[in-house]
Amino acid sequence: MKKISDFISKNLAILVLVCTAFALFYPSISNIIKTSYVNYLLGIIMFGMGLSVRASDFKELFLRPKDVIIGIFAQFIIMPFIAFVLIFVFKLDSALAIGVALVGACPGGTSSNVISYLAKADVALSVSITSCTTILAPIITPFITYLLVGKSIDINAISMFISIIQVIIIPILLGVLAHKFLPKITEKLQDILPLISTFGIVAIVMSVVGANATKILDNLGIILVVVMLHNVLGYLLGFFAGKIFKLELAKQKTLAIEVGMQNSGLAASLATTHFAAYPLAAVVAALFSVWHNISGGILATIFRRF
């Protein structure tokens, strides 16, 4: 099972791409994996994250507070800024604007830690930034979303705050508690955690893509351009932020990966829960998940060479 789990997690990008294509041309899959399941699927992923969280993941905040704080600020400034620029430059309609804003406002994704390892970046720093931004998400994500699109769309920031607590913080805390009080069981689960997370990500993407297949095909060009620019510019500006603060190369790589790779599962969850009237918002998040897993692998290959 561990070998199967490792193989699938290493080939996540290919698996997500294949499943996305399947959902696009066989949209009836959404009748099986309904969009109403997205919150539960994300909760499972976050529970898995909680099982793997250790107190040592936060020690970097105390040992190297400057590095972690730079990462947190870079995460919550650069991606929202890029989102704002993309919304303005491409004059995106409400649905796409919401999707881009949500992706930009979310914390770093857990896959960034794997990519940091493959890229020979600072993995400890990566885990610390991901953990800290995830904990801050209930407050910061609704606030940034409101700043980006709140003037044109009615946003209930309190309701978003509660949703993030429910689908992110509570599952993580349950995972941490399970690891503490049921160590023998959770140790056995460690081997299949990548498989569980992969299943969750793929299921979320297939659900959202299948439910909106026609609209995706009608708007595929603009969505892909915006998603790719958001991600790649995040990598670039994250890397240069590390240079500006004169961090060493490994940390510059980490910042690039942390900034560019978002928790798009959370963005999809918020979109389906709070912006159901704008289904393309969730599509932006789903396709971001597809693309950043592909681009992350490419970036890791490049970074390994220097």
Coordinates of all heavy atoms in Angstrom, one line a residue, residues 16 20 23-24 27 30 35 38 92-103 201 204-228 230 264-273 275-292:
V16 N -4.1 13.9 -12.1 CA -5.0 15.0 -12.1 C -5.4 15.4 -13.5 O -6.5 15.7 -13.8 CB -4.5 16.2 -11.3 CG1 -5.4 17.4 -11.4 CG2 -4.3 15.8 -9.8
T20 N -9.1 15.1 -15.0 CA -9.7 16.4 -15.5 C -10.3 16.2 -16.9 O -11.4 16.6 -17.2 CB -8.7 17.6 -15.4 OG1 -8.2 17.7 -14.1 CG2 -9.4 18.9 -15.9
A23 N -13.4 14.1 -16.8 CA -14.5 14.8 -16.3 C -15.0 15.8 -17.3 O -16.2 16.1 -17.3 CB -14.2 15.5 -14.9
L24 N -14.1 16.4 -18.1 CA -14.5 17.4 -19.0 C -15.3 16.8 -20.2 O -16.3 17.4 -20.6 CB -13.2 18.0 -19.6 CG -13.4 19.4 -20.3 CD1 -14.0 20.4 -19.4 CD2 -12.0 19.8 -20.8
P27 N -19.0 14.5 -18.3 CA -19.4 15.4 -17.1 C -20.4 14.7 -16.2 O -20.6 15.1 -15.1 CB -20.1 16.6 -17.8 CG -20.5 16.1 -19.2 CD -19.4 15.1 -19.6
S30 N -20.1 14.1 -12.3 CA -20.5 15.0 -11.3 C -21.7 14.5 -10.6 O -22.1 15.0 -9.5 CB -20.7 16.4 -11.8 OG -21.8 16.4 -12.8
T35 N -20.7 18.3 -6.2 CA -20.0 19.4 -5.7 C -20.3 19.6 -4.2 O -19.5 20.3 -3.5 CB -20.4 20.7 -6.5 OG1 -21.8 20.8 -6.5 CG2 -19.9 20.6 -7.9
V38 N -17.5 18.6 -1.8 CA -16.2 19.2 -1.9 C -15.7 19.6 -0.4 O -14.5 19.3 -0.1 CB -16.3 20.5 -2.7 CG1 -15.0 21.4 -2.5 CG2 -16.4 20.2 -4.2
L92 N -12.1 40.8 -16.1 CA -12.8 39.5 -15.9 C -14.3 39.8 -15.3 O -14.5 40.7 -14.6 CB -12.1 38.7 -14.8 CG -10.6 38.3 -15.2 CD1 -10.0 37.5 -14.1 CD2 -10.6 37.5 -16.5
D93 N -15.2 38.9 -15.8 CA -16.6 39.0 -15.3 C -16.6 38.6 -13.8 O -15.6 38.1 -13.3 CB -17.5 38.2 -16.2 CG -17.2 36.7 -16.2 OD1 -16.7 36.2 -15.2 OD2 -17.6 36.1 -17.2
S94 N -17.8 38.7 -13.2 CA -17.9 38.5 -11.8 C -17.4 37.1 -11.4 O -16.7 36.9 -10.4 CB -19.3 38.7 -11.3 OG -19.7 40.0 -11.5
A95 N -17.9 36.1 -12.1 CA -17.6 34.7 -11.7 C -16.1 34.4 -11.8 O -15.5 33.8 -10.8 CB -18.3 33.7 -12.7
L96 N -15.4 34.8 -12.8 CA -14.0 34.5 -12.9 C -13.2 35.4 -11.9 O -12.2 35.0 -11.4 CB -13.5 34.8 -14.4 CG -14.0 33.9 -15.5 CD1 -13.4 34.3 -16.8 CD2 -13.7 32.4 -15.1
A97 N -13.7 36.6 -11.7 CA -13.0 37.5 -10.8 C -13.1 36.9 -9.4 O -12.1 36.9 -8.6 CB -13.7 38.9 -10.8
I98 N -14.2 36.3 -9.0 CA -14.3 35.7 -7.7 C -13.3 34.5 -7.6 O -12.6 34.4 -6.6 CB -15.8 35.2 -7.4 CG1 -16.7 36.3 -7.3 CG2 -15.8 34.3 -6.2 CD1 -18.2 35.9 -7.4
G99 N -13.3 33.7 -8.6 CA -12.4 32.6 -8.6 C -10.9 33.0 -8.4 O -10.2 32.4 -7.6
V100 N -10.5 34.0 -9.2 CA -9.1 34.4 -9.1 C -8.9 35.1 -7.8 O -7.8 34.8 -7.2 CB -8.8 35.5 -10.3 CG1 -7.5 36.1 -10.1 CG2 -9.0 34.8 -11.6
A101 N -9.8 35.8 -7.2 CA -9.6 36.4 -5.9 C -9.5 35.4 -4.8 O -8.6 35.5 -3.9 CB -10.8 37.3 -5.6
L102 N -10.3 34.3 -4.9 CA -10.3 33.3 -3.9 C -8.9 32.5 -3.9 O -8.3 32.3 -2.9 CB -11.4 32.3 -4.1 CG -12.8 32.8 -3.7 CD1 -13.9 31.8 -4.1 CD2 -12.9 33.0 -2.2
V103 N -8.5 32.2 -5.1 CA -7.2 31.5 -5.2 C -6.1 32.4 -4.7 O -5.2 32.0 -3.9 CB -6.9 31.2 -6.7 CG1 -5.4 30.7 -6.8 CG2 -7.8 30.1 -7.2
I201 N -7.9 15.5 -3.7 CA -7.6 16.5 -4.7 C -8.3 16.1 -6.1 O -9.0 16.9 -6.7 CB -6.1 16.7 -4.9 CG1 -5.5 17.3 -3.7 CG2 -5.8 17.6 -6.1 CD1 -4.0 17.3 -3.6
I204 N -12.1 16.4 -5.9 CA -12.6 17.8 -5.9 C -12.5 18.3 -7.4 O -13.5 19.0 -7.9 CB -11.7 18.7 -5.0 CG1 -12.1 18.3 -3.5 CG2 -12.0 20.2 -5.3 CD1 -11.1 19.0 -2.5
V205 N -11.4 18.1 -8.0 CA -11.3 18.6 -9.4 C -12.3 18.0 -10.3 O -13.0 18.7 -11.1 CB -9.8 18.3 -9.9 CG1 -9.7 18.6 -11.4 CG2 -8.8 19.1 -9.2
M206 N -12.5 16.7 -10.3 CA -13.4 16.0 -11.1 C -14.9 16.5 -10.9 O -15.7 16.6 -11.8 CB -13.3 14.5 -10.9 CG -12.1 13.9 -11.5 SD -12.0 12.1 -11.3 CE -13.2 11.6 -12.5
S207 N -15.2 16.7 -9.6 CA -16.5 17.1 -9.3 C -16.8 18.5 -9.9 O -17.9 18.7 -10.5 CB -16.7 17.2 -7.7 OG -17.9 17.8 -7.4
V208 N -15.9 19.5 -9.7 CA -16.1 20.8 -10.1 C -16.1 20.9 -11.7 O -16.9 21.5 -12.3 CB -15.1 21.8 -9.5 CG1 -15.2 23.2 -10.2 CG2 -15.2 21.9 -8.0
V209 N -15.1 20.2 -12.3 CA -15.0 20.2 -13.7 C -16.2 19.5 -14.4 O -16.8 20.0 -15.4 CB -13.7 19.5 -14.2 CG1 -13.7 19.3 -15.7 CG2 -12.5 20.3 -13.7
G210 N -16.6 18.4 -13.9 CA -17.7 17.7 -14.4 C -19.0 18.5 -14.4 O -19.8 18.5 -15.3
A211 N -19.2 19.2 -13.2 CA -20.5 20.0 -13.1 C -20.5 21.2 -14.0 O -21.6 21.7 -14.2 CB -20.6 20.4 -11.6
N212 N -19.3 21.6 -14.5 CA -19.3 22.8 -15.3 C -18.6 22.6 -16.6 O -18.0 23.6 -17.2 CB -18.5 23.9 -14.5 CG -19.2 24.3 -13.2 OD1 -20.2 25.0 -13.1 ND2 -18.7 23.7 -12.1
A213 N -18.7 21.4 -17.1 CA -17.9 21.1 -18.3 C -18.2 22.0 -19.5 O -17.3 22.5 -20.2 CB -18.2 19.6 -18.7
T214 N -19.5 22.3 -19.8 CA -19.9 23.1 -20.9 C -19.3 24.5 -20.8 O -18.8 25.1 -21.7 CB -21.4 23.2 -21.0 OG1 -21.9 21.8 -21.2 CG2 -21.8 24.0 -22.3
K215 N -19.5 25.1 -19.6 CA -19.0 26.5 -19.4 C -17.5 26.5 -19.4 O -16.9 27.5 -19.9 CB -19.5 27.0 -18.0 CG -21.0 27.2 -17.9 CD -21.4 27.7 -16.6 CE -22.9 28.0 -16.6 NZ -23.4 28.5 -15.3
I216 N -16.8 25.4 -19.0 CA -15.4 25.4 -19.1 C -14.9 25.4 -20.5 O -14.0 26.2 -20.9 CB -14.8 24.1 -18.4 CG1 -15.0 24.2 -16.9 CG2 -13.3 24.0 -18.7 CD1 -14.7 23.0 -16.1
L217 N -15.5 24.6 -21.4 CA -15.1 24.5 -22.8 C -15.4 25.9 -23.5 O -14.6 26.3 -24.3 CB -15.9 23.4 -23.5 CG -15.5 22.0 -23.0 CD1 -16.5 21.0 -23.7 CD2 -14.1 21.7 -23.4
D218 N -16.4 26.6 -23.0 CA -16.8 27.9 -23.6 C -15.8 29.0 -23.2 O -15.6 30.0 -23.9 CB -18.2 28.3 -23.2 CG -19.2 27.5 -23.9 OD1 -18.9 26.8 -24.9 OD2 -20.4 27.4 -23.4
N219 N -15.2 28.8 -22.0 CA -14.3 29.8 -21.5 C -12.9 29.3 -21.2 O -12.1 29.9 -20.5 CB -14.9 30.4 -20.2 CG -16.2 31.0 -20.3 OD1 -16.3 32.2 -20.6 ND2 -17.3 30.2 -20.1
L220 N -12.5 28.2 -21.8 CA -11.3 27.5 -21.4 C -10.0 28.4 -21.7 O -9.1 28.4 -20.9 CB -11.1 26.2 -22.2 CG -9.9 25.3 -21.9 CD1 -10.0 24.9 -20.4 CD2 -9.9 24.1 -22.7
G221 N -10.0 29.1 -22.8 CA -8.8 29.9 -23.1 C -8.5 30.9 -22.1 O -7.4 31.0 -21.6
I222 N -9.5 31.8 -21.7 CA -9.2 32.8 -20.8 C -8.9 32.3 -19.4 O -8.0 32.8 -18.7 CB -10.4 33.8 -20.7 CG1 -10.1 35.0 -19.8 CG2 -11.7 33.1 -20.3 CD1 -9.0 35.9 -20.2
I223 N -9.6 31.2 -19.0 CA -9.3 30.6 -17.7 C -7.9 30.1 -17.6 O -7.2 30.3 -16.6 CB -10.4 29.5 -17.4 CG1 -11.8 30.0 -17.3 CG2 -10.0 28.8 -16.1 CD1 -12.8 29.0 -17.1
L224 N -7.5 29.4 -18.6 CA -6.1 28.8 -18.6 C -5.1 29.9 -18.6 O -4.1 29.8 -17.9 CB -5.9 27.9 -19.8 CG -6.6 26.5 -19.7 CD1 -6.3 25.7 -21.0 CD2 -6.0 25.7 -18.5
V225 N -5.3 30.9 -19.4 CA -4.3 32.0 -19.4 C -4.2 32.7 -18.1 O -3.1 32.9 -17.6 CB -4.7 33.1 -20.5 CG1 -3.9 34.3 -20.3 CG2 -4.5 32.5 -21.9
V226 N -5.3 33.0 -17.5 CA -5.3 33.7 -16.2 C -4.7 32.8 -15.1 O -3.9 33.2 -14.3 CB -6.8 34.1 -15.8 CG1 -6.8 34.5 -14.3 CG2 -7.2 35.2 -16.7
V227 N -5.1 31.5 -15.1 CA -4.6 30.5 -14.1 C -3.1 30.4 -14.2 O -2.3 30.4 -13.2 CB -5.3 29.2 -14.2 CG1 -4.5 28.1 -13.5 CG2 -6.7 29.2 -13.7
M228 N -2.6 30.2 -15.4 CA -1.2 30.0 -15.6 C -0.4 31.3 -15.3 O 0.7 31.2 -14.6 CB -0.9 29.6 -17.1 CG -1.4 28.2 -17.4 SD -1.4 27.9 -19.2 CE 0.3 27.6 -19.5
H230 N -1.3 33.6 -13.1 CA -1.3 33.8 -11.7 C -0.3 32.9 -11.0 O 0.5 33.4 -10.1 CB -2.7 33.4 -11.2 CG -3.1 34.0 -9.8 ND1 -4.3 33.8 -9.3 CD2 -2.4 34.7 -9.0 CE1 -4.4 34.4 -8.1 NE2 -3.2 35.0 -7.9
S264 N -5.8 25.5 -3.4 CA -6.9 25.7 -4.4 C -8.1 24.9 -4.0 O -9.2 25.2 -4.4 CB -6.4 25.3 -5.8 OG -5.8 24.1 -5.9
G265 N -7.9 23.8 -3.2 CA -9.0 23.0 -2.6 C -9.9 23.9 -1.8 O -11.1 23.8 -1.8
L266 N -9.3 24.8 -0.9 CA -10.0 25.7 -0.1 C -10.8 26.7 -1.0 O -11.9 27.0 -0.7 CB -9.1 26.4 0.9 CG -9.7 27.5 1.7 CD1 -10.8 27.0 2.6 CD2 -8.6 28.2 2.6
A267 N -10.1 27.2 -2.0 CA -10.7 28.1 -2.9 C -12.0 27.5 -3.6 O -13.0 28.1 -3.7 CB -9.8 28.6 -4.0
A268 N -11.9 26.3 -4.0 CA -13.0 25.6 -4.6 C -14.1 25.4 -3.5 O -15.3 25.5 -3.9 CB -12.6 24.2 -5.1
S269 N -13.8 25.0 -2.3 CA -14.7 24.8 -1.3 C -15.5 26.1 -1.0 O -16.7 26.1 -0.9 CB -14.0 24.4 0.0 OG -14.9 24.4 1.1
L270 N -14.8 27.2 -0.9 CA -15.4 28.5 -0.6 C -16.3 29.0 -1.8 O -17.4 29.5 -1.6 CB -14.4 29.6 -0.3 CG -13.6 29.4 1.0 CD1 -12.4 30.4 1.1 CD2 -14.5 29.5 2.2
A271 N -15.8 28.7 -3.0 CA -16.6 29.0 -4.2 C -17.9 28.3 -4.2 O -19.0 28.9 -4.5 CB -15.8 28.8 -5.4
T272 N -17.9 27.0 -4.0 CA -19.1 26.2 -4.1 C -20.1 26.5 -2.9 O -21.3 26.4 -3.1 CB -18.8 24.7 -4.1 OG1 -18.0 24.3 -2.9 CG2 -18.0 24.3 -5.3
T273 N -19.5 26.9 -1.8 CA -20.4 27.1 -0.6 C -21.0 28.5 -0.6 O -22.1 28.7 -0.3 CB -19.5 26.9 0.7 OG1 -19.0 25.6 0.7 CG2 -20.4 27.2 1.9
F275 N -20.5 31.1 -3.2 CA -20.7 31.7 -4.5 C -21.3 30.7 -5.5 O -20.8 30.7 -6.7 CB -19.4 32.3 -5.0 CG -18.7 33.3 -4.1 CD1 -17.7 32.9 -3.2 CD2 -19.2 34.6 -4.0 CE1 -17.1 33.7 -2.4 CE2 -18.6 35.5 -3.1 CZ -17.5 35.1 -2.3
A276 N -22.3 30.0 -5.1 CA -22.9 29.0 -5.9 C -23.5 29.6 -7.2 O -23.7 28.9 -8.2 CB -23.9 28.2 -5.1
A277 N -23.9 30.8 -7.1 CA -24.5 31.5 -8.2 C -23.5 31.8 -9.3 O -23.9 32.2 -10.4 CB -25.2 32.8 -7.8
Y278 N -22.2 31.6 -9.0 CA -21.1 31.9 -10.0 C -20.3 30.6 -10.1 O -19.2 30.6 -9.6 CB -20.3 33.1 -9.5 CG -21.0 34.3 -9.2 CD1 -21.5 34.6 -7.9 CD2 -21.2 35.3 -10.2 CE1 -22.2 35.8 -7.7 CE2 -21.9 36.5 -10.0 CZ -22.4 36.7 -8.7 OH -23.0 37.9 -8.5
P279 N -20.8 29.6 -10.8 CA -20.1 28.3 -10.8 C -18.7 28.3 -11.4 O -17.9 27.5 -11.0 CB -21.0 27.4 -11.7 CG -21.9 28.4 -12.4 CD -22.1 29.6 -11.5
L280 N -18.4 29.3 -12.3 CA -17.1 29.4 -12.9 C -16.0 29.8 -11.9 O -14.8 29.5 -12.1 CB -17.0 30.4 -14.0 CG -17.6 29.8 -15.4 CD1 -17.5 30.9 -16.5 CD2 -16.8 28.6 -15.8
A281 N -16.4 30.3 -10.7 CA -15.5 30.7 -9.7 C -14.8 29.4 -9.2 O -13.6 29.4 -9.0 CB -16.2 31.4 -8.5
A282 N -15.6 28.3 -9.0 CA -15.0 27.1 -8.5 C -14.1 26.4 -9.6 O -13.1 25.8 -9.3 CB -16.1 26.1 -8.1
V283 N -14.4 26.7 -10.8 CA -13.7 26.1 -12.0 C -12.2 26.7 -12.0 O -11.3 26.0 -12.2 CB -14.4 26.4 -13.3 CG1 -13.4 26.1 -14.5 CG2 -15.7 25.6 -13.4
V284 N -12.1 28.0 -11.7 CA -10.8 28.6 -11.7 C -9.9 27.9 -10.6 O -8.8 27.6 -10.9 CB -10.9 30.1 -11.3 CG1 -9.5 30.7 -11.1 CG2 -11.6 30.9 -12.4
A285 N -10.5 27.7 -9.5 CA -9.8 27.0 -8.4 C -9.4 25.5 -8.8 O -8.3 25.1 -8.6 CB -10.6 26.9 -7.1
A286 N -10.3 24.8 -9.5 CA -10.1 23.5 -9.9 C -9.0 23.4 -10.9 O -8.0 22.5 -10.8 CB -11.3 22.8 -10.4
L287 N -9.0 24.3 -11.9 CA -8.0 24.3 -12.9 C -6.6 24.8 -12.4 O -5.6 24.4 -12.9 CB -8.4 25.1 -14.1 CG -9.6 24.5 -14.9 CD1 -9.9 25.3 -16.2 CD2 -9.4 23.1 -15.3
F288 N -6.7 25.6 -11.4 CA -5.4 26.1 -10.8 C -4.8 24.8 -10.1 O -3.6 24.7 -10.2 CB -5.7 27.1 -9.7 CG -4.4 27.8 -9.2 CD1 -4.0 29.0 -9.7 CD2 -3.7 27.2 -8.2 CE1 -2.8 29.6 -9.2 CE2 -2.5 27.8 -7.7 CZ -2.1 29.0 -8.2
S289 N -5.6 24.0 -9.5 CA -5.1 22.8 -8.8 C -4.4 21.9 -9.9 O -3.3 21.3 -9.6 CB -6.2 22.0 -8.2 OG -5.7 20.9 -7.5
V290 N -5.0 21.8 -11.0 CA -4.5 20.9 -12.1 C -3.1 21.5 -12.6 O -2.1 20.8 -12.6 CB -5.4 20.9 -13.3 CG1 -4.8 20.1 -14.5 CG2 -6.7 20.2 -12.9
W291 N -3.1 22.8 -12.9 CA -2.0 23.5 -13.4 C -0.8 23.5 -12.4 O 0.4 23.3 -12.8 CB -2.3 24.9 -13.9 CG -1.1 25.6 -14.3 CD1 -0.6 26.7 -13.7 CD2 -0.1 25.3 -15.4 NE1 0.6 27.1 -14.2 CE2 0.9 26.3 -15.3 CE3 -0.1 24.4 -16.3 CZ2 2.0 26.3 -16.2 CZ3 1.0 24.4 -17.2 CH2 2.0 25.4 -17.1
H292 N -1.1 23.9 -11.2 CA 0.1 24.1 -10.3 C 0.8 22.8 -9.9 O 1.9 22.8 -9.5 CB -0.3 25.0 -9.1 CG -0.9 24.2 -7.9 ND1 -1.1 24.8 -6.7 CD2 -1.3 22.9 -7.7 CE1 -1.7 24.0 -5.8 NE2 -1.8 22.8 -6.4

